[in-house]
Amino acid sequence: RERFRDDPIFLKNVFVRIGEGALADHHNALLRAYPDLLLGSYPEFSNPEYKVKVTLESRDASFLARALCELLRRLPADAVVRVA
């Protein structure tokens, strides 16, 4: 039971229509503003709905919410398919 006593890790997934190359500048800017953010980028080649799943992780829910808002603000308006 002791190993489960750590703070939970909060996760948000952002599914986008643009490729990783177009996301690189957005990711770099986000990590400069939120250096403690765990950020992942996973290309999807067979799903017609989206091109990349971006993951944001943190043990601090409010920090994660702020970073998510910043990422969504930076992305082109039509780039986001959904946030989960």
Side-chain angles (χ1 to χ4, degrees):
R1 290 190 317 197
E2 287 303 313
R3 71 179 163 159
F4 296 111
R5 292 191 188 265
D6 285 343
D7 292 335
I9 296 174
F10 297 95
L11 169 70
K12 285 294 182 179
N13 295 307
V14 181
F15 300 87
V16 296
R17 290 184 179 94
I18 57 179
E20 281 191 301
L23 285 172
D25 287 341
H26 300 296
H27 286 342
N28 291 335
L30 187 64
L31 288 172
R32 278 192 299 276
Y34 296 89
D36 294 330
L37 180 68
L38 298 175
L39 184 66
S41 183
Y42 305 92
E44 174 59 54
F45 300 106
S46 61
N47 190 323
E49 186 180 338
Y50 67 93
K51 290 185 178 183
V52 178
K53 176 176 84 169
V54 178
T55 61
L56 295 85
E57 298 178 55
S58 176
R59 290 195 184 272
D60 182 334
S62 63
F63 176 85
L64 180 63
R66 290 189 308 273
L68 175 62
C69 286
E70 180 67 17
L71 175 64
L72 296 176
R73 184 187 70 76
R74 290 176 181 277
L75 291 175
D78 62 344
V80 177
V81 174
R82 73 177 180 276
V83 177

